Amino acid sequence: MGRLYNKVALVVGAGSIGPGWGNGKATSVLFAREGARVFCTDVNGEAAEETVRIIREEGGAATPFRADVSKSDDIEAMVAACMNAHGRIDVLDYNVGLAEVGGVVDVSEEDWDRVFAVNLKGAYLAMKHVIPIMRGQGGGSIVNISSIASIRYTGVPYATYSATKAALNHLTKTTAVQYAPDRIRVNAVLPGLLKTPMVEKSAGLAQEYAGGDVDKMWEARNAQCPMGEMGDAWDVAYAALYLASDEAKYVTGLELVVDGGITLKYS
């Protein structure tokens, strides 16, 4: 306990799209359990409030905030509100990602622009506004949640998702080098196949795997994994916790793959 004691963590995407544990929700709760004051942001204000309620019921400290990460004004307001509430930002966890199924021929231009705005532009805007604060404080940790779809073809055509997450990886690494002298660490977590509400609610993904049958999709995804089952949101949360904590004080520019070994199978 206490790995983030006395730190302020801004988690972007802190809610969950449905019942259960999404990556951002689990990360927010785990950060609070480890002593952080968590500023929980989500485009769904009620989802952010639910995460905050869980944290407070456990005796932790958290604040909800609604923001659309594709809008610069919302990002700026989010960072300002976090500073007004807590006076500093030690950790930025960007845990937002739209996953639209479709290759380059199938995906619409509107969907392409929307996914890039959320997955990539939002991360850029969040770092743009948080990094100057971290420089003034003498350092900080940024954790961008990417995906193994950024480094492998996973069997599902994800033109927008793969492209945005691959770009996020490189943006993470170049930003890490640029701000290393300021003791700002920038790392990425690359989750593999997970059982989360976002995956369950993705009609296109269930259709691609099993003709729309969610239970059969779970079976198929479990069978793909060398460990025989998918990971869950807590696997991502614990990876983010390590990178956010001082235990990783000499780690920057890392692509931390959390996938149970599945990328070792892909050619």
Side-chain angles (χ1 to χ4, degrees):
M1 299 293 289
R3 294 165 72 184
L4 298 181
Y5 176 71
N6 210 31
K7 294 185 185 293
V8 174
L10 169 55
V11 178
V12 187
S16 181
I17 196 171
W21 292 96
N23 295 337
K25 183 178 179 181
T27 298
S28 298
V29 171
L30 183 60
F31 281 6
R33 289 174 179 172
E34 293 293 337
R37 290 169 285 162
V38 187
F39 195 82
C40 299
T41 301
D42 202 274
V43 69
N44 183 333
E46 292 182 358
E49 289 171 3
E50 180 190 6
T51 301
V52 168
R53 177 183 56 77
I54 293 170
I55 291 171
R56 290 175 177 173
E57 286 178 351
E58 293 185 355
T63 306
F65 191 83
R66 185 199 173 280
D68 181 342
V69 297
S70 68
K71 298 179 179 178
S72 181
D73 289 348
D74 278 26
I75 293 285
E76 191 170 3
M78 171 189 76
V79 174
C82 185
M83 289 297 291
N84 287 337
H86 301 295
R88 61 184 297 115
I89 300 174
D90 300 289
V91 179
L92 168 64
D93 183 270
Y94 192 81
N95 200 99
V96 178
L98 295 179
E100 293 287 347
V101 175
V104 293
V105 173
D106 305 308
V107 69
S108 69
E109 185 176 350
E110 292 76 17
D111 282 343
W112 177 274
D113 290 341
R114 182 169 62 93
V115 175
F116 266 79
V118 171
N119 292 10
L120 188 60
K121 181 182 176 183
Y124 140 71
L125 288 171
M127 291 192 289
K128 178 181 182 65
H129 289 289
V130 168
I131 285 174
I133 293 169
M134 289 183 170
R135 291 181 80 178
Q137 296 170 176
S141 173
I142 297 172
V143 183
N144 292 319
I145 307 303
S146 182
S147 168
I148 61 167
S150 67
I151 59 172
R152 296 288 190 277
Y153 180 68
T154 63
V156 176
Y158 271 145
T160 53
Y161 190 65
S162 299
T164 53
K165 293 300 187 179
L168 181 62
N169 290 355
H170 199 61
L171 183 63
T172 295
K173 289 184 284 190
T174 56
T175 306
V177 174
Q178 182 178 359
Y179 292 101
D182 298 301
R183 306 195 70 80
I184 298 171
R185 298 181 297 102
V186 191
N187 294 288
V189 176
L190 280 59
L193 301 186
L194 303 180
K195 188 174 184 180
T196 64
M198 189 185 84
V199 175
E200 182 176 3
K201 297 291 184 180
S202 176
L205 195 56
Q207 185 65 36
E208 191 72 28
Y209 265 98
D213 188 316
V214 173
D215 287 335
K216 288 184 178 179
M217 176 182 69
W218 294 144
E219 293 176 6
R221 285 165 65 91
N222 281 335
Q224 286 181 271
C225 300
M227 290 186 173
E229 62 182 4
M230 292 173 285
D232 59 34
W234 296 101
D235 297 311
V236 176
Y238 275 101
L241 172 62
Y242 166 67
L243 294 173
S245 75
D246 292 340
E247 296 163 17
K249 66 181 178 62
Y250 203 56
V251 177
T252 196
L254 177 68
E255 295 176 359
L256 179 54
V257 176
V258 181
D259 73 343
I262 194 169
T263 51
L264 301 176
K265 291 175 54 179
Y266 290 137
S267 59

